[in-house]
Amino acid sequence: MAEKPPLKKPVIQIPELNNEKPKPTKVVKADMSSEQQFQKLFMDPMFAELERTVKQQEEMLDRINEKFEAERKARIKEQQQAHIPEPLKGSGLGLAEVMKKVEELILYEINEEGQDERETTLQTKKPVKLQKLDDIGHAAITAHSVAAYISTLPEEHLRKFVTKITSDCQLWLAKLFRFDDSSMMFHEEPRDGLVRVCRLALYHKYPKYATEGFEALYSRPPVIYISAASRPDLGSYLCLQLGLPLSCICSAPLDLGAKESNRMDVDLLEKLVQDDIAAAKTPVLLVAYAGTPVVGHVDNLDRLQNLCKKNSIWLHVEGNNLATLAMLAIPSSVSSARSGDSITVTIGKWVGVPALPYATMFKASDPSLVHAAGLNTFNPQLKLNCLPLWIALQSLGLDGILERIQHSCDLAKLLYENLDEIKVIRLISHSKSEEKDGQKQIRSIRELISRALSALLIFEIVTPTVVFRYVEDCKDDADVLSNLECKCNHHCGTENVKSQNMKSTVVAPYAVSSYIEQDEEDKEEENRKLKYYNALNSWLAETLQLENPKLDIQMVEIEKEGVCIRFAPLESAQVLGTTKEDVQKFLSVLKKHLIILNATVTSREKFRMIIEVQNNLRMVEISNWAGLGAVQYIPEHLLDKLDHLAGKGIQDINNLNAELVHQLKSTDLAFSLGHTSDGQVCVKFGLITEDTDVEKLIDLVYSTGKEVEESSKYLESMSDIIKRGIEAVNKDLEQENLNKLYHEGVLRQVPLVSSFINWWSPPPKDTVKGRTFDLSSGMLASTDETYKYRMQVRKDNPTPPLSPSTPNAGASSKAKLKPVNIMTKSAGDVKAGLLNSTQKQESMVRKKPIDEIDIGLEATETVDVKDQKTQIDRDKQSESLQKNGQ
């Protein structure tokens, strides 16, 4: 057999894997492209947006966490700073904002609660006026800032600097006010120097007071004498600062019988000192015044100095008149102050330089006691307060200081000389002209010598404080008294006859009560006159303050004098820049107002006499009212009931007077509404001029009061008529309803039965609709014609009087409206007129009286309402009858 050939293996060609890549088929290539496109178009943006959203959410959560953390820290900080005031919380304000607040506090007023009122009152309130400063004033204010800056110097340099300026100020002031061999203390509080001086005087009197305290004072309590003309709270302030009881303060009495009534009575003071020594007390200190705080009187410093030396009492002197110690010619009344133990000067106020300290000069030999009393300190920073004074004294110089003090005294002298010539002005701070005193008889050689010495002094009668008061002119009374005296030139013995008659006059026992009553009446009259002149002076002071802004006019109240007007140029002339021309302007304004006051006071008695004879007018007293007076109008029907007026009577008087003032104000603004002490209303008369006729003013009030009274009577009578008319209408309607019920029967009132009866026998139609009431005639009428013709038709009826209680109501044409004559027509004529012409109907309606048309319709409406009420009552009654029948 033949061999078969070997089978050939199939050859499979495998591509080389070295560099050649298998070529993808078309299908595979299409699938890869779609996936990439899907990834690129959908998945990538979605993941990017998701990542961005997550990132935003994370940032938001971070911000929320930070906010919560900040709030948590703020709450913790607020709790920790809860006790801190609001302006100090936090990191503070900017310097610009703080300075703006300071500016607002300076320029605008602050209310009582301490809140700034600028936001609420900026539109209505003016800014506070600041003092205008000259170069010296600017330097003094700048010196405070310089002193604060100097306090940063090294301690040794600062001590030398302070020693230099304090020693200079002490030397200059001691020589200026002639108070040699004295030490000095500078202080900001005006009474601080007096407190330290009192403590020094206690150390002198009680050597063990510094160690034992009050136990050293127990055996012999100290006594401090203060003038009664001082400030009211001075004694209590000293006791509070020194730790003493109020029993240690003794008020030195005043010499009320002298011309200058605010001076201390030296004789009584000496008696008090002796009584205290006898009572085992120790007189320590006496506070005297060279110019009392209000009036400006100077105590008898010479006699007081002798009294203090005799009893070893410390003498301390204060007052504005101490400024005259710096002048070349020192007044004799003030020169004795140089021999006192201590004085307090306010040079900053006298020369018009702000921010200067007070200076208390004292004479003491023991430095340890001075330091223990607090009159000296070793702290140099506390002594820097005299730097503004050091700068001001050198800037002014002696001539500048004397010029300013002399200018203030000249202003006071100018005002004094002009006021001395006005008879209705009483000078409280000065006595009247020395010429009048010169006419008096000299009784002793001492008085002759003192008068001769006073004539040689240049500045004796001048006081830098002027206090005056408007008083009554007593010229007429003096003339009457002079006419009663003998007019002969020779001595006729009339004075002896008068004295003999006075001595021989014996008062009967039964006449004592009449004298006592007369004395009480005189006291009441004096008290009333004092209150009235106090009101006049208050008005004058307020008016002068408004019209003279360059003068510091003050209103003060002085014991046994009343309200007075005060001008102290030493305290304000340099600050306000007051000149002699300003004083002359003040005098012209004063004289203009004095003419008004004189005219008012002169006419006041005549005014009272005219009021007393009027039946309907009576005088009432109003405190603090400067004018002619006040009256009250009394209606006629209350004249007999004034002693026992009830509440309604007083209310009627108040309403009438209030309406009276309202009508008078439209005529003259001199009238105003007033209230008495018990709350009653009255008419106040203001100030008048010389050409004002008082009788015409009173007649105007009387006639206007009559008109108001008549109008009130008319309204009262009208209300009474309406009330009686309504009552009559109600009675008539009730009677008609009863008659109707009687005629119709009870069965018609039962609901079920009434319908059958009304169907079987219909009831008659109601003919009465209501009632009308004519105010002019006072007559009642049915409303048939009103509903028939749709208007009111007036019939001819006699017109009765307006009110039986007011018979004179028709006599007053102003208080009562005149009745209008209207032609009456029948019902047919009226109906024809309505059909023919609408204009004729309107004219007839216009001719109707207003009170008849308006109030008559109101009465008709009232009656209709009453008819409805009556019908409702009738229905209720029928228902009750039906229930009873069932």
Side-chain angles (χ1 to χ4, degrees):
M1 294 180 55
E3 293 180 3
K4 295 181 182 178
L7 297 174
K8 294 182 179 180
K9 296 180 180 179
V11 179
I12 300 174
Q13 294 181 357
I14 301 173
E16 296 181 358
L17 300 175
N18 295 331
N19 294 325
E20 295 182 1
K21 294 181 179 179
K23 295 181 182 179
T25 59
K26 294 182 179 180
V27 177
V28 174
K29 187 176 181 180
D31 294 338
M32 294 297 292
S33 177
S34 62
E35 290 180 0
Q36 290 179 357
Q37 290 181 359
F38 178 79
Q39 182 76 19
K40 183 178 180 181
L41 294 177
F42 295 98
M43 299 302 293
D44 292 344
M46 184 179 65
F47 285 121
E49 181 67 24
L50 180 61
E51 182 180 1
R52 185 168 55 253
T53 304
V54 171
K55 187 176 182 180
Q56 290 179 354
Q57 296 297 328
E58 289 179 353
E59 292 177 354
M60 185 181 298
L61 291 175
D62 292 340
R63 287 196 299 268
I64 293 174
N65 291 332
E66 291 176 358
K67 182 178 179 182
F68 287 161
E69 184 66 20
E71 291 179 355
R72 187 182 66 83
K73 292 181 179 180
R75 286 196 300 269
I76 296 174
K77 187 176 181 180
E78 185 178 359
Q79 293 176 0
Q80 294 175 349
Q81 298 180 357
H83 63 287
I84 302 298
E86 190 65 30
L88 301 182
K89 292 181 179 180
S91 59
L93 302 175
L95 184 60
E97 187 175 356
V98 174
M99 296 306 297
K100 185 176 181 181
K101 284 189 174 184
V102 174
E103 181 182 358
E104 292 176 354
L105 292 175
I106 294 174
L107 294 179
Y108 300 97
E109 294 184 4
I110 302 174
N111 58 11
E112 296 179 355
E113 290 77 11
Q115 301 294 331
D116 190 4
E117 291 183 343
R118 184 185 62 85
E119 297 180 358
T120 57
T121 60
L122 185 59
Q123 302 296 331
T124 58
K125 185 179 295 184
K126 295 182 179 179
V128 178
K129 292 183 179 180
L130 294 174
Q131 177 184 344
K132 294 182 179 180
L133 301 177
D134 53 6
D135 295 338
I136 300 175
H138 282 288
I141 292 177
T142 307
H144 285 274
S145 300
V146 175
Y149 184 68
I150 290 174
S151 63
T152 61
L153 290 174
E155 185 176 355
E156 184 65 22
H157 190 183
L158 178 62
R159 185 181 59 81
K160 293 180 180 180
F161 178 84
V162 171
T163 303
K164 169 63 177 175
I165 63 174
T166 52
S167 59
D168 288 346
C169 290
Q170 289 180 6
L171 177 62
W172 296 342
L173 290 179
K175 295 297 182 181
L176 181 63
F177 292 101
R178 296 177 171 88
F179 204 77
D180 300 328
D181 301 330
S182 63
S183 301
M184 199 166 302
M185 175 195 174
F186 302 100
H187 49 93
E188 303 295 335
E189 172 65 32
R191 297 174 294 186
D192 196 16
L194 178 58
V195 173
R196 309 292 178 88
V197 166
C198 288
R199 188 175 289 115
L200 178 61
L202 287 173
Y203 287 143
H204 276 288
K205 282 289 185 178
Y206 301 92
K208 297 182 179 181
Y209 177 63
T211 58
E212 297 181 2
F214 186 75
E215 293 181 358
L217 313 178
Y218 182 75
S219 59
R220 296 183 65 87
V223 181
I224 300 174
Y225 301 94
I226 302 176
S227 173
S230 64
R231 300 292 182 184
D233 59 339
L234 181 60
S236 60
Y237 180 79
L238 289 177
C239 291
L240 182 63
Q241 296 297 322
L242 298 173
L244 299 177
L246 289 176
S247 58
C248 294
I249 302 296
C250 179
S251 180
L254 302 179
D255 190 3
L256 300 178
K259 296 178 182 178
E260 298 181 352
S261 59
N262 275 43
R263 299 176 61 180
M264 276 193 292
D265 192 336
V266 183
D267 296 331
L268 289 178
L269 177 62
E270 186 174 6
K271 186 177 182 302
L272 286 175
V273 171
Q274 297 301 325
D275 293 342
D276 290 335
I277 294 175
K281 295 182 179 180
T282 303
V284 175
L285 182 135
L286 171 64
V287 180
Y289 285 98
T292 53
V294 178
V295 181
H297 289 169
V298 180
D299 292 325
N300 194 336
L301 299 178
D302 192 12
R303 294 188 60 189
L304 291 176
Q305 179 64 33
N306 296 332
L307 176 63
C308 291
K309 286 183 178 180
K310 180 180 177 181
N311 297 278
S312 300
I313 302 175
W314 187 288
L315 178 61
H316 180 79
V317 184
E318 296 181 350
N320 288 334
N321 288 44
L322 290 176
T324 57
L325 289 174
M327 304 188 69
L328 299 179
I330 305 175
S332 61
S333 58
V334 184
S335 60
S336 300
R338 297 178 298 172
S339 59
D341 297 297
S342 61
I343 61 174
T344 298
V345 295
T346 57
I347 189 171
K349 184 169 57 176
W350 296 340
V351 299
V353 179
L356 294 187
Y358 298 89
T360 297
M361 303 181 227
F362 57 94
K363 298 176 182 178
S365 57
D366 193 346
S368 61
L369 295 181
V370 172
H371 181 70
L375 289 167
N376 191 11
T377 179
F378 297 115
N379 189 352
Q381 295 183 355
L382 298 179
K383 293 184 177 181
L384 283 173
N385 61 347
C386 65
L387 179 60
L389 180 62
W390 187 78
I391 295 175
L393 289 176
Q394 293 186 93
S395 301
L396 285 171
L398 179 61
D399 293 340
I401 295 173
L402 295 181
E403 181 184 357
R404 297 194 177 197
I405 296 176
Q406 183 67 52
H407 175 69
S408 300
C409 295
D410 291 342
L411 293 178
K413 183 179 180 181
L414 175 63
L415 182 60
Y416 160 72
E417 291 176 350
N418 285 271
L419 292 178
D420 191 36
E421 300 176 356
I422 303 176
K423 296 180 180 179
V424 293
I425 292 296
R426 177 189 297 169
L427 289 166
I428 311 299
S429 57
H430 302 69
S431 59
K432 281 291 184 179
S433 298
E434 295 293 331
E435 298 178 359
K436 299 180 181 179
D437 296 337
Q439 297 175 0
K440 295 181 180 180
Q441 184 179 2
I442 300 176
R443 299 179 180 179
S444 63
I445 298 177
R446 183 178 179 180
E447 186 176 354
L448 176 62
I449 295 174
S450 63
R451 184 169 297 179
L453 292 175
S454 299
L456 296 176
L457 293 173
I458 301 174
F459 215 57
E460 181 63 27
I461 65 172
V462 174
T463 296
T465 302
V466 181
V467 180
F468 61 94
R469 171 180 169 85
Y470 174 77
V471 295
E472 185 178 5
D473 188 6
C474 301
K475 179 180 177 181
D476 298 335
D477 298 338
D479 294 340
V480 174
L481 293 175
S482 62
N483 292 332
L484 294 176
E485 296 178 355
C486 180
K487 298 182 180 180
C488 302
N489 294 328
H490 60 278
H491 181 69
C492 60
T494 55
E495 295 181 357
N496 295 332
V497 173
K498 291 179 181 179
S499 61
Q500 292 176 3
N501 291 336
M502 292 296 294
K503 292 179 180 179
S504 61
T505 303
V506 179
V507 179
Y510 55 82
V512 175
S513 60
S514 62
Y515 275 100
I516 296 176
E517 293 177 358
Q518 182 68 27
D519 188 27
E520 293 178 354
E521 292 179 359
D522 294 340
K523 289 182 179 179
E524 291 180 359
E525 180 65 21
E526 287 294 330
N527 189 21
R528 182 184 62 81
K529 186 178 293 185
L530 176 63
K531 292 181 179 179
Y532 178 64
Y533 276 92
N534 284 344
L536 292 178
N537 282 276
S538 300
W539 174 86
L540 181 61
E542 293 174 357
T543 306
L544 293 175
Q545 287 173 352
L546 293 176
E547 299 187 11
N548 299 275
K550 297 298 290 292
L551 272 74
D552 185 20
I553 304 299
Q554 301 175 3
M555 181 174 59
V556 296
E557 188 170 357
I558 302 175
E559 186 179 1
K560 294 188 178 181
E561 290 291 344
V563 178
C564 301
I565 302 172
R566 180 176 183 266
F567 172 59
L570 260 179
E571 300 176 1
S572 60
Q574 302 300 327
V575 175
L576 299 177
T578 308
T579 61
K580 292 185 178 180
E581 289 75 14
D582 297 327
V583 176
Q584 293 291 350
K585 178 184 176 183
F586 169 80
L587 289 169
S588 62
V589 173
L590 174 64
K591 292 177 181 179
K592 179 183 69 174
H593 292 304
L594 288 180
I595 295 174
I596 299 175
L597 293 180
N598 291 336
T600 304
V601 173
T602 304
S603 304
R604 180 174 170 80
E605 192 62 30
K606 180 182 178 181
F607 174 79
R608 296 178 68 90
M609 294 174 61
I610 297 175
I611 295 298
E612 287 176 357
V613 299
Q614 302 295 328
N615 294 331
N616 297 91
L617 298 178
R618 68 170 180 176
M619 287 287 298
V620 293
E621 296 295 335
I622 297 182
S623 59
N624 301 328
W625 173 245
L628 274 179
V631 301
Q632 198 174 43
Y633 186 88
I634 308 299
E636 290 286 347
H637 65 282
L638 294 177
L639 289 177
D640 300 334
K641 304 177 182 178
L642 292 178
D643 297 334
H644 47 278
L645 278 176
K648 187 177 184 304
I650 296 175
Q651 185 65 29
D652 292 342
I653 294 176
N654 291 341
N655 294 338
L656 192 146
N657 282 272
E659 181 63 24
L660 174 59
V661 173
H662 179 70
Q663 295 192 14
L664 289 173
K665 277 187 175 181
S666 60
T667 306
D668 194 344
L669 295 178
F671 302 100
S672 59
L673 184 67
H675 294 83
T676 60
S677 57
D678 54 354
Q680 296 189 24
V681 180
C682 61
V683 183
K684 295 193 298 186
F685 288 72
L687 298 171
I688 61 173
T689 57
E690 292 180 336
D691 55 349
T692 303
D693 192 348
V694 180
E695 295 182 359
K696 289 184 178 179
L697 288 178
I698 299 175
D699 182 66
L700 176 62
V701 174
Y702 185 80
S703 59
T704 308
K706 280 292 184 183
E707 294 178 2
V708 175
E709 182 183 5
E710 293 298 331
S711 62
S712 62
K713 286 181 180 179
Y714 175 74
L715 294 176
E716 291 177 359
S717 61
M718 183 181 294
S719 63
D720 292 339
I721 292 173
I722 295 174
K723 184 177 180 181
R724 289 196 299 269
I726 293 174
E727 292 176 355
V729 168
N730 291 332
K731 291 181 180 180
D732 291 347
L733 293 175
E734 289 177 0
Q735 186 63 34
E736 287 189 4
N737 291 331
L738 292 176
N739 294 335
K740 183 179 180 181
L741 181 62
Y742 176 77
H743 290 294
E744 292 181 355
V746 180
L747 295 177
R748 289 188 183 271
Q749 311 303 326
V750 180
L752 297 177
V753 180
S754 61
S755 59
F756 176 74
I757 295 176
N758 292 334
W759 172 75
W760 182 264
S761 176
K765 188 177 181 181
D766 292 339
T767 57
V768 179
K769 299 295 184 181
R771 295 290 189 274
T772 60
F773 181 65
D774 192 350
L775 291 177
S776 61
S777 62
M779 301 296 293
L780 293 173
S782 175
T783 57
D784 289 341
E785 296 181 355
T786 303
Y787 284 99
K788 184 176 181 180
Y789 301 112
R790 297 296 186 271
M791 67 173 294
Q792 292 184 351
V793 179
R794 182 177 178 181
K795 299 181 179 180
D796 290 334
N797 289 319
T799 303
L802 184 63
S803 175
S805 61
T806 56
N808 296 327
S812 178
S813 59
K814 295 183 179 180
K816 178 186 174 183
L817 295 174
K818 293 183 179 181
V820 182
N821 295 327
I822 303 175
M823 297 179 62
T824 58
K825 297 184 178 182
S826 62
D829 295 336
V830 174
K831 185 175 181 181
L834 290 172
L835 296 175
N836 292 333
S837 175
T838 305
Q839 297 179 355
K840 189 174 182 180
Q841 177 185 359
E842 293 178 354
S843 63
M844 291 178 65
V845 172
R846 292 194 199 99
K847 290 182 181 181
K848 292 291 181 180
I850 297 175
D851 55 354
E852 179 182 348
I853 296 174
D854 296 339
I855 306 178
L857 290 175
E858 292 180 6
T860 304
E861 294 173 0
T862 304
V863 173
D864 292 340
V865 173
K866 184 68 178 179
D867 289 343
Q868 295 176 4
K869 184 177 180 181
T870 305
Q871 183 63 32
I872 294 172
D873 295 340
R874 188 185 304 166
D875 295 340
K876 290 182 179 180
Q877 185 177 4
S878 62
E879 292 178 0
S880 62
L881 291 175
Q882 183 180 3
K883 291 180 181 179
N884 293 332
Q886 292 176 356

